[in-house]
Amino acid sequence: MKRFFISLAVLLAGLFTASEIWPAKASNLLLSTLHLATGMTAKTVDTSKGPIQYLEGGSGDTVVFLHGIFARKEHWLDMSRQIKDHRLILLDLPGFGDNPVLDAADYDFAQQVTNIFETLDAMSVEKFHLVGNSMGSQIASMMAADRPDQIITLSYIGSPVGVTSPIPSDMETAIAKGTAPLVVKDQAGYDARMAWLFPKEPFLPRPMARTWAAAEIARADSNQMIWDAVNGSQITPSDHLAPDLAMPSLVIWCQDDRIFHPTGAQVLADALPNSTLITPSGCGHLPMLDRPAETGRDLQGFLSAH
């Protein structure tokens, strides 16, 4: 028995050392294991913007997930464990995640809508439930307004860009002072952004955290361009589009969100004709990472009802 524990300790020490020396390889191994555990398969589809990376799993009605600015498809993975009896498509949006950086014009909201519809058309996805977070939620609203017959339900997991809250958020106040809180140019900027996004940073295996941070820092020259292009877009905010979005909708907006003030939740829910509002505590701008199990169950219940 003593020999077993010594061998186990040596093995764990070796794995830790390997993950420190080769974090990218360790991260890929962890992701492959996580994909297998969640029933997801990594795929690509060719578009005019190059190959687009996505994860797909399950069967049934299709649910498409759209992440926020500087985010990636894997941010939905833990939450996706709760979604049953549906085909799930977790996109790296064109120009984000593992996809190549695009020209500034491609980050305009209207162009992003075009790029995502092209991606889904290339995958022969015709009718689907649509789920978004932050920037992805505003895109989802615009997609639902453009092609309402294709969207079965619309879910906002975390606050969308642009809703006019009665009280300005911490981030809106910071932007008004000339800063860009979510732009990452170095490790310190990455750490600072995590503090903006989460009341308490969720656990992420060290190799994955290091690899994702390094990948984004490697795009430092592009991050400000992307931020400026997204925030310079002329949009009709989700709460203004909402009265014409007749499909059933779900709004999950956390009470500790510092990016967009939680008083906007009721504004959006009241503007939507057929909405369900949930305002959990103890989570920030990304409830699918802060509260993956609870958020997933809320989304599953909503999808099952429609």
Side-chain angles (χ1 to χ4, degrees), residues 152-273:
I152 304 169
T153 66
L154 179 60
S155 295
Y156 302 92
I157 306 299
S159 54
V161 168
V163 172
T164 306
S165 300
I167 300 174
S169 69
D170 291 347
M171 189 187 76
E172 288 168 329
T173 300
I175 290 173
K177 295 178 179 178
T179 64
L182 303 186
V183 174
V184 167
K185 297 182 179 179
D186 52 30
Q187 185 64 49
Y190 187 88
D191 294 339
R193 188 178 69 191
M194 298 297 274
W196 275 99
L197 294 173
F198 303 105
K200 180 181 178 181
E201 187 174 335
F203 170 76
L204 185 65
R206 180 174 168 82
M208 290 168 59
R210 291 179 63 192
T211 300
W212 289 352
E216 189 161 349
I217 293 167
R219 293 187 178 196
D221 291 343
S222 303
N223 289 339
Q224 188 68 51
M225 175 273 289
I226 294 171
W227 175 267
D228 291 341
V230 169
N231 286 279
S233 298
Q234 298 298 311
I235 62 170
T236 301
S238 290
D239 54 315
H240 292 187
L241 293 170
D244 295 324
L245 304 180
M247 66 285 297
S249 56
L250 172 67
V251 179
I252 299 178
W253 193 319
C254 292
Q255 296 179 31
D256 298 312
D257 193 334
R258 298 180 64 204
I259 306 303
F260 299 111
H261 199 276
T263 53
Q266 196 66 56
V267 173
L268 178 59
D270 288 346
L272 290 160

Side-chain angles (χ1 to χ4, degrees), residues 46-274:
D46 291 326
T47 74
S48 66
K49 303 302 175 183
I52 301 301
Q53 312 290 321
Y54 67 100
L55 298 172
E56 181 176 353
S59 60
D61 287 348
T62 299
V63 188
V64 175
F65 294 79
L66 310 179
H67 61 68
I69 191 170
F70 303 130
R72 55 189 304 122
K73 58 188 179 298
E74 287 85 5
H75 289 177
W76 300 104
L77 265 178
D78 201 7
M79 189 194 78
S80 75
R81 299 170 188 266
Q82 308 298 322
I83 312 303
K84 310 299 182 183
D85 303 319
H86 290 81
R87 173 197 182 198
L88 308 184
I89 295 176
L90 319 183
L91 287 177
D92 266 343
L93 302 192
F96 293 99
D98 292 322
N99 298 323
V101 174
L102 300 175
D103 294 335
D106 280 300
Y107 295 96
D108 177 85
F109 273 95
Q111 186 60 47
Q112 290 202 65
V113 169
T114 298
N115 294 345
I116 293 167
F117 270 131
E118 180 193 344
T119 301
L120 296 177
D121 289 345
M123 296 162 61
S124 299
V125 176
E126 297 179 355
K127 200 171 183 67
F128 52 96
H129 301 269
L130 189 54
V131 179
N133 169 260
S134 194
M135 179 190 74
S137 286
Q138 172 64 27
I139 292 171
S141 294
M142 296 169 68
M143 291 174 65
D146 280 1
R147 300 191 191 178
D149 291 343
Q150 285 189 242
I151 313 301
I152 304 169
T153 66
L154 179 60
S155 295
Y156 302 92
I157 306 299
S159 54
V161 168
V163 172
T164 306
S165 300
I167 300 174
S169 69
D170 291 347
M171 189 187 76
E172 288 168 329
T173 300
I175 290 173
K177 295 178 179 178
T179 64
L182 303 186
V183 174
V184 167
K185 297 182 179 179
D186 52 30
Q187 185 64 49
Y190 187 88
D191 294 339
R193 188 178 69 191
M194 298 297 274
W196 275 99
L197 294 173
F198 303 105
K200 180 181 178 181
E201 187 174 335
F203 170 76
L204 185 65
R206 180 174 168 82
M208 290 168 59
R210 291 179 63 192
T211 300
W212 289 352
E216 189 161 349
I217 293 167
R219 293 187 178 196
D221 291 343
S222 303
N223 289 339
Q224 188 68 51
M225 175 273 289
I226 294 171
W227 175 267
D228 291 341
V230 169
N231 286 279
S233 298
Q234 298 298 311
I235 62 170
T236 301
S238 290
D239 54 315
H240 292 187
L241 293 170
D244 295 324
L245 304 180
M247 66 285 297
S249 56
L250 172 67
V251 179
I252 299 178
W253 193 319
C254 292
Q255 296 179 31
D256 298 312
D257 193 334
R258 298 180 64 204
I259 306 303
F260 299 111
H261 199 276
T263 53
Q266 196 66 56
V267 173
L268 178 59
D270 288 346
L272 290 160
N274 186 9

